[in-house]
């Protein structure tokens, strides 16, 4: 018999390096408003560590079914595919993706489901608020390196990340297999690739500011070197998608995308520092580095997550 309320499975992948934040996330899931009346909640934790570290989280989430499984093949898309498989076997109507270093607001699930219903959406992307471990330079803080997009709730999106994402299980089934592209094993970007393909099937993806989470940014991610590497990787992923889809035309596309960004970004950086406008300087650096990543895409893949 079908459940009278939707079954929501929260899919979490972990590499075992953030046990404290993971416990905080699980505790926040146990405090979700509307659980048992508006929706049924389940949790899937996929261990993708180099050495098995799966533990029983049932004691943290009393009254919530928790599936803790291991995916031995390293790489985010393999772990994400395992989480989708487990969630669908549990009978999830909606699968919520969230990183293991975030905390969910108490109305996270209920607000996402409300947005899904109000906007007749197949998927909802929510906001992420960052809490920094230390002060960071103004150019870095204002340059858009950390900012999640902040649209008006209900805005239709062409793609989204899985840092905070709810998707109807039926819509996921229309994407094909594997759901997350396993060729992107270490490069990142499998979430943007997935949601782009999801939208291409006709699925409606909308934004919800109210379905929010928080993320603590540790010291190492406050370093300029980290944000620059991340920008390079994002640009490289964008370029690789273009090159893969269009062959030689893709190479030319990478040049057409990358060269203007390097040029415009460099000029904006110089103007920003010369005029004391930190936001301009940061945005210029981010644009230029992404352009470099796009230019490099036909020749190499930047594997940020290889271990």
């Amino acid at each position: 018999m079908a459940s009278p309320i939707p079954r929501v499975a929260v899919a979490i992948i972990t590499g075992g390096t953030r046990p404290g934040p993971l416990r905080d996330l699980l505790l926040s899931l146990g405090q979700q408003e509307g659980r048992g009346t508006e929706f049924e909640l389940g949790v899937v934790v996929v261990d993708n560590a180099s050495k098995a570290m799966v533990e029983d989280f049932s004691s943290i989430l009393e009254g919530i079914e928790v599936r803790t499984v291991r995916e031995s093949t390293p790489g985010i898309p393999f772990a994400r595919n395992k989480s989708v498989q487990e969630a669908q076997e549990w009978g999830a109507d909606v699968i919520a993706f969230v990183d293991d270093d975030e905390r969910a607001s108490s109305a996270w699930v209920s607000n996402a489901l409300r947005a899904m219903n109000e906007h007749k959406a197949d998927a909802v992307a929510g906001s992420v608020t960052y809490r920094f471990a230390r002060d960071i330079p103004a150019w870095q803080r204002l340059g858009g390196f950390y900012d999640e997009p902040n649209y008006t709730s209900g805005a239709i999106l062409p793609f989204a990340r899985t840092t905070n994402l709810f998707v109807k299980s039926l819509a996921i089934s229309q994407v094909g297999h594997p759901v997350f592209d396993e060729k992107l094993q270490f490069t990142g970007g499998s979430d943007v690739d997935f949601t782009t393909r999801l939208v291409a099937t006709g699925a409606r993806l909308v934004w919800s500011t109210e379905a929010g989470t928080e993320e603590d940014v540790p010291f190492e991610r406050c370093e300029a070197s980290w944000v620059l590497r991340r920008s390079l990787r994002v640009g490289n992923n964008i370029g690789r998608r273009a090159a893969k889809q269009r062959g030689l035309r893709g190479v030319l596309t990478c040049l057409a995308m990358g060269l203007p960004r390097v040029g415009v970004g460099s000029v904006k950086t110089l103007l920003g520092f010369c005029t004391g406008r930190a936001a301009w300087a940061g945005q210029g650096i981010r644009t230029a580095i992404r352009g470099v990543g796009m230019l490099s895409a036909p020749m190499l893949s930047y594997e940020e997550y290889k271990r």
Side-chain angles (χ1 to χ4, degrees):
M1 182 180 295
S3 174
I5 56 177
R7 305 191 90 191
V8 179
V10 180
I12 306 165
I13 64 173
T14 182
T17 60
R18 302 185 284 216
L22 174 58
R23 289 181 66 88
D24 290 342
L25 168 60
L26 295 173
L27 289 171
S28 73
L29 296 179
Q31 298 169 358
Q32 290 298 298
E33 300 170 0
R35 179 169 65 88
T37 56
E38 298 177 19
F39 56 87
E40 184 179 349
L41 188 65
V43 175
V44 175
V45 180
V46 178
D47 165 25
N48 195 224
S50 56
K51 295 183 179 179
M53 47 72 65
V54 167
E55 60 178 287
D56 184 7
F57 296 108
S58 301
S59 60
I60 302 176
L61 292 173
E62 186 175 350
I64 299 177
E65 183 174 345
V66 183
R67 290 189 171 205
T68 308
V69 297
R70 174 159 174 76
E71 173 53 64
S72 58
T73 304
I76 292 173
F78 289 93
R80 284 182 177 142
N81 285 331
K82 173 70 79 172
S83 72
V84 170
Q85 175 188 337
E86 292 291 328
Q88 290 182 329
E89 287 180 0
W90 178 70
D93 300 298
V94 176
I95 301 177
F97 300 92
V98 65
D99 287 352
D100 66 348
D101 57 351
E102 295 180 57
R103 293 181 301 278
S105 60
S106 59
W108 179 55
V109 175
S110 59
N111 281 339
L113 294 179
R114 187 172 299 112
M116 205 171 261
N117 292 330
E118 288 180 357
H119 302 291
K120 297 180 174 56
D122 301 288
V124 173
S127 59
V128 180
T129 301
Y130 294 104
R131 310 294 182 191
F132 297 98
R134 65 169 177 81
D135 290 338
I136 58 176
W139 68 265
Q140 196 171 312
R141 177 170 47 84
L142 301 174
F145 295 98
Y146 301 99
D147 292 346
E148 285 287 302
N150 191 16
Y151 305 101
T152 302
S153 291
I156 298 175
L157 306 180
F159 58 83
R161 294 165 58 194
T162 51
T163 49
N164 181 359
L165 179 69
F166 289 73
V167 189
K168 289 182 179 178
S169 186
L170 183 60
I172 293 176
S173 299
Q174 305 303 311
V175 173
H177 295 282
V179 174
F180 292 93
D181 189 348
E182 293 171 352
K183 293 191 293 294
L184 304 177
Q185 184 176 15
F186 299 121
T187 63
S190 62
D191 51 356
V192 172
D193 175 80
F194 157 64
T195 51
T196 299
R197 289 186 288 118
L198 178 74
V199 170
T201 68
R204 185 180 177 90
L205 169 62
V206 304
W207 176 262
S208 172
T209 301
E210 295 75 22
T213 62
E214 288 187 349
E215 178 180 334
D216 291 327
V217 181
F219 282 96
E220 60 270 20
R221 293 192 178 187
C222 293
E223 297 293 333
S225 58
W226 186 89
V227 299
L228 295 179
R229 289 196 304 272
R230 176 56 58 95
S231 294
L232 182 67
R233 191 266 288 174
V234 170
N236 188 258
N237 283 340
I238 294 170
R240 287 180 67 244
R241 287 200 299 274
K244 177 182 69 174
Q245 292 170 357
R246 299 187 179 93
L248 178 59
R249 289 182 60 190
V251 175
L252 298 176
T253 299
C254 288
L255 291 173
M257 292 189 305
L259 286 174
R261 284 174 169 82
V262 172
V264 171
S266 299
V267 171
K268 193 169 186 178
T269 300
L270 182 61
L271 288 174
F273 281 119
C274 288
T275 61
R277 297 186 179 184
W280 280 22
Q283 291 163 9
I285 293 171
R286 179 170 171 264
T287 299
I289 295 297
R290 283 193 175 190
V292 172
M294 293 172 189
L295 291 174
S296 67
M299 298 171 287
L300 60 89
S301 298
Y302 184 71
E303 298 183 330
E304 181 180 1
Y305 298 104
K306 191 169 185 177
R307 60 173 186 254

